[in-house]
Amino acid sequence: MSDAAQPTAAEVRAAAEAVKTALDRHLAAVERRSGEDDPAVYEAFNELAVAAETYDELLYDRYDEVTPFEIPAAEDALPPYTGPEEPSALSVLIRRDYAVAEPQRLLAHAQRIEAADDDISDGSDTSETSGTVHGALGLLFGEYEPDEIASRHKEFGLEEGDSTLWVTASDEPAEPGEWLEAPFEEVEPAQVVCRFDVSAVFDEDPDDVDDPDDPDGIDDDLEDGPVPALDTDR
């Protein structure tokens, strides 16, 4: 960035003062909160997030320095719950990401699935299905429930990535078939009852990498992945 485009020292100072003011307002809102989902606290949280982000950017642009803390951006937080007090229906939205870590293991398992189905097949050669990764994935997810695949993913040659689970509430169940073409497009964040996220970023700890007692940088207690955490920013 050129010197002409850099923020002035006064602008950085003003941004720092704005963070201090936002902190005071947030604390005051928390002290006066009327309930778990007080909108005043939510608004103060967002103002603090914006002020902190602005200060961090200006500080970096002017002095090539960053703040030692991070406040989630406003869009990362769920708004206060405004759904029904006594919901009569709910929707559970789940996304799980995987990497195909061992294609040969996946293909071998797909071939075993086909072999087990020989008794009900017409005897035709279906090796082209189990012989491709996308065909093997189709066989795998057609044979097992997603929860079983999640618990046995290593056996199938898959590696876990991020995952998220949202529970939303509503007054009436959806009409059969009405959302199947676009299952995730009409999620109302304000109707989310709870949310659980699992990500490798939650496990990042520089102190673990150089641990002489743990040369792989992996805590044995975390081999099966991080414990899902309830989103408490709502």
Side-chain angles (χ1 to χ4, degrees):
M1 179 180 293
S2 67
D3 291 341
Q6 286 184 342
T8 65
E11 288 174 328
V12 178
R13 173 62 62 181
E17 293 300 326
V19 173
K20 298 175 187 178
T21 300
L23 278 168
D24 289 339
R25 290 176 177 172
H26 182 261
L27 177 58
V30 171
E31 291 173 337
R32 297 193 306 265
R33 73 188 311 160
S34 59
E36 183 178 351
D37 296 324
D38 190 333
V41 175
Y42 176 69
E43 181 179 356
F45 171 86
N46 287 341
E47 291 178 355
L48 176 57
V50 171
E53 182 178 6
T54 299
Y55 171 61
D56 191 80
E57 291 178 353
L58 293 177
L59 185 71
Y60 182 80
D61 290 344
R62 176 69 185 183
Y63 300 110
D64 198 26
E65 290 288 343
V66 296
T67 56
F69 55 86
E70 180 179 355
I71 298 177
E75 58 268 21
D76 292 337
L78 290 172
Y81 177 73
T82 60
E85 290 293 330
E86 298 182 4
S88 57
L90 60 87
S91 297
V92 180
L93 294 87
I94 301 174
R95 171 173 171 168
R96 297 186 180 115
D97 284 4
Y98 298 95
V100 181
E102 300 180 76
Q104 293 305 316
R105 182 184 290 270
L106 172 65
L107 295 172
H109 205 95
Q111 290 165 2
R112 288 195 292 272
I113 293 174
E114 282 188 331
D117 290 342
D118 279 347
D119 292 340
I120 59 174
S121 69
D122 58 8
S124 61
D125 184 8
T126 58
S127 60
E128 290 186 1
T129 301
S130 62
T132 64
V133 171
H134 72 272
L137 289 170
L139 286 169
L140 185 71
F141 281 85
E143 179 74 11
Y144 301 106
E145 294 291 332
D147 286 346
E148 183 170 3
I149 293 175
S151 65
R152 300 173 59 187
H153 62 277
K154 294 181 181 178
E155 176 185 340
F156 301 140
L158 303 177
E159 181 179 301
E160 280 185 320
D162 290 358
S163 66
T164 187
L165 181 152
W166 295 37
V167 178
T168 66
S170 58
D171 289 314
E172 298 292 339
E175 292 293 329
E178 71 175 358
W179 52 262
L180 295 179
E181 291 186 2
F184 302 109
E185 282 189 357
E186 298 183 1
V187 179
E188 291 290 344
Q191 292 186 343
V192 175
V193 177
C194 58
R195 170 180 171 178
F196 299 87
D197 295 325
V198 176
S199 176
V201 300
F202 299 152
D203 286 341
E204 291 180 354
D205 187 349
D207 294 336
D208 291 340
V209 176
D210 299 323
D211 187 348
D213 297 326
D214 187 14
D216 295 328
I218 300 175
D219 190 333
D220 292 339
D221 293 335
L222 296 177
E223 283 187 349
D224 294 330
V227 177
L230 176 63
D231 184 343
T232 58
D233 287 337
R234 298 178 42 252

